Amino acid sequence: MDPGSQVESNSTERDELPTAPAESTPAAPAAPSAAAAVGHVTRLVHGDKEIFLIGTAHVSRKSVEEVERVIHELRPDTVCVELDEQRFRMLEDDRSWKKLDIFQVIRQKRVLFLLSSLALSAYQKRLGDKLGVRPGAELLAGVHAARAVGAELVLADRDVQATLKRTWANLSFWDKAQISSGLMAVPFSMDEIDEERIEELKDQDTIGEMMHEVAKQFPRVKEPLIDERDAYLMSSIQEAPGRRIVGVVGAAHVAGMVARLGQPADRLELSKLPPPSKLAAVLGWLIPALVIGSFYFGFRNQSWQGLEQMLFAWILPTGLLSAIFTVAALGHPLTVLTAFIAAPITTLHPALGAGMVTGLLEAYLRKPTVEDCEGIQAAFSSLRGLYQNSATRVLLVFVGSTIGAALGAWIGASWVISLL
């Protein structure tokens, strides 16, 4: 923490909020962990700026009321919210799903990112419906309150795509498998939780324990998902215009942000997309190289008969498993046939994928409507909903055929090599 910065925590249960002392000299900074542990509003002094961080929960009615009250009472120069441009647009326009272009999602290879986002938002929506609060309502309340008091609005968070891609790139294969399976199960598991429990989760000790557990189980997740965003958010807020600033952020970020008060952060560097892994590129070509090399040696040593055996050993498992997984996703019969034909070919090139071919074909055949796209979030609330919605059916076909082709490639490669 910068020597010219000061931290003071305040419980929002008090009748009055603190204001900056006139012509005062900043006292020695308190320990960040202790400072962030009391109440939901933390007052920071950084140079000539007075910053109030409101730690919120994204499905808390009390957080909405607290954000509105604090902003109206303080009438800050600037309000910073934990949103990027993309999430801000989606939060303000609750019909934005109508504009989803499923073809572009598949072409740009954003299916897994979209599925992860949908899984988490579906869980938040179910929780919000149960508590009578729209997910992210406290952030939207911050936006509306800023406009009401004439404050400047700053979208302080990093682009969500950068966060997701940096997080994904930081994970091992097994981490990705665990997290992907966990995310897909999230919308269908609704533990009993009430408003009182939500308020408890905003407590800094509870948040700290949760972050500690996440860090232990997935240490590679915490840095890009939490630590980098703590630095990005704090940098955005302390560089925001005006002398009195209110920051509306998730309670999980407050302690980390306080610890970074006064520290510079290169937000452009933190927003860079990770370069493709050289190891992944090498491994991506490994199986195709082994298989194609085996075809060559099979033909050279055993003529056409050997090549035919190897082609059969490659085509059968890759095509069959991709087709079976497409059937499991309730793909169109023509898509199932295409999966069988495309998988043995696409698995021989790392830049291609069976899912891209089957997904585009399924989208063409199903022709998801505006209503399907608008209901894509609601579809994630149940397994039946996933299969009934044409847009999510396309996503299931993409994932299913891809997984089937990948499994078949490992089996096929082993079979082909055994025939040498």
Side-chain angles (χ1 to χ4, degrees):
M1 186 183 300
D2 185 83
S5 303
Q6 181 180 355
V7 183
E8 178 183 312
S9 295
N10 303 277
S11 171
T12 56
E13 300 301 321
R14 298 177 185 175
D15 294 331
E16 296 183 0
L17 286 160
T19 56
E23 302 298 329
S24 62
T25 302
S33 58
V38 182
H40 303 149
V41 176
T42 301
R43 175 179 176 268
L44 313 172
V45 177
H46 176 60
D48 64 347
K49 293 179 185 288
E50 187 181 26
I51 300 170
F52 295 87
L53 296 182
I54 310 174
T56 69
H58 295 318
V59 286
S60 167
R61 185 183 295 105
K62 288 185 179 179
S63 283
V64 175
E65 296 167 356
E66 186 172 53
V67 167
E68 291 173 341
R69 180 176 66 81
V70 170
I71 293 174
H72 280 91
E73 289 185 8
L74 286 175
R75 304 189 73 82
D77 300 307
T78 302
V79 173
C80 302
V81 291
E82 186 197 327
L83 289 172
D84 66 315
E85 189 66 38
Q86 181 178 334
R87 287 186 294 148
F88 172 66
R89 288 199 305 268
M90 294 183 69
L91 198 58
E92 276 221 307
D93 181 7
D94 57 5
R95 304 178 73 184
S96 59
W97 287 108
K98 283 187 175 183
K99 304 168 188 173
L100 180 68
D101 187 336
I102 201 75
F103 286 94
Q104 286 300 318
V105 169
I106 294 170
R107 287 193 188 104
Q108 295 172 10
K109 300 180 181 180
R110 291 169 50 205
V111 173
L112 291 178
F113 293 121
L114 177 62
L115 288 173
S116 300
S117 176
L118 285 170
L120 288 174
S121 62
Y123 178 77
Q124 283 190 330
K125 185 178 184 302
R126 289 181 67 192
L127 194 55
D129 289 344
K130 186 175 180 179
L131 300 175
V133 182
R134 179 186 173 191
E138 89 289 358
L139 299 174
L140 202 55
V143 171
H144 294 160
R147 291 169 178 166
V149 301
E152 185 165 342
L153 178 67
V154 171
L155 305 179
D157 203 0
R158 178 172 65 185
D159 181 85
V160 65
Q161 288 297 318
T163 295
L164 290 173
K165 288 182 179 181
R166 287 174 72 95
T167 302
W168 195 251
N170 226 31
L171 298 176
S172 68
F173 173 81
W174 294 113
D175 286 340
K176 290 175 182 178
Q178 282 183 273
I179 290 175
S180 298
S181 59
L183 282 173
M184 294 308 294
V186 159
F188 312 115
S189 61
M190 176 62 76
D191 296 331
E192 286 300 317
I193 189 166
D194 54 22
E195 198 161 354
E196 183 179 348
R197 176 58 180 155
I198 289 291
E199 295 307 309
E200 288 176 8
L201 291 176
K202 287 157 63 178
D203 180 77
Q204 296 305 311
D205 288 336
T206 306
I207 290 291
E209 290 173 10
M210 290 172 60
M211 290 299 101
H212 181 67
E213 289 303 312
V214 170
K216 281 201 305 184
Q217 188 170 3
F218 300 109
R220 296 183 183 90
V221 167
K222 186 174 178 292
E223 182 181 353
L225 197 59
I226 302 295
D227 297 343
E228 288 184 359
R229 288 177 64 216
D230 288 346
Y232 193 100
L233 286 164
M234 192 69 254
S235 174
S236 297
I237 291 172
Q238 67 190 17
E239 293 179 18
R243 298 187 65 175
R244 176 172 288 185
I245 301 164
V246 168
V248 184
V249 299
H253 289 292
V254 174
M257 291 173 65
V258 170
R260 288 166 174 78
L261 179 63
Q263 297 179 7
D266 188 340
R267 297 201 296 275
L268 286 177
E269 186 65 30
L270 288 172
S271 299
K272 284 184 179 178
L273 299 182
S277 167
K278 292 181 180 179
L279 178 61
V282 171
L283 292 177
W285 280 106
L286 182 60
I287 288 182
L290 287 173
V291 171
I292 294 173
S294 298
F295 289 164
Y296 171 76
F297 284 108
F299 176 73
R300 184 178 178 182
N301 297 331
Q302 302 175 34
S303 190
W304 285 107
Q305 184 178 1
L307 180 59
E308 287 173 2
Q309 289 179 334
M310 288 185 176
L311 286 172
F312 179 81
W314 175 251
I315 292 171
L316 184 64
T318 52
L320 191 59
L321 282 176
S322 186
I324 289 173
F325 275 73
T326 305
V327 169
L330 297 186
H332 190 281
L334 185 56
T335 308
V336 174
L337 177 61
T338 302
F340 182 83
I341 296 170
I345 301 169
T346 57
T347 45
L348 290 176
H349 196 295
L352 300 176
M356 183 171 290
V357 177
T358 58
L360 290 172
L361 178 60
E362 187 74 11
Y364 174 78
L365 294 171
R366 296 287 177 190
K367 293 180 172 57
T369 63
V370 168
E371 185 179 358
D372 289 325
C373 292
E374 190 175 25
I376 199 167
Q377 276 187 306
F380 264 74
S381 61
S382 68
L383 190 60
R384 183 179 180 183
L386 282 175
Y387 280 104
Q388 286 184 334
N389 185 294
S390 293
T392 53
R393 180 88 67 84
V394 171
L395 300 178
L396 289 175
V397 165
F398 176 96
V399 173
S401 59
T402 299
I403 292 174
L407 290 174
W410 283 102
I411 296 171
S414 301
W415 191 353
V416 167
I417 292 171
S418 72
L419 294 175
L420 287 175

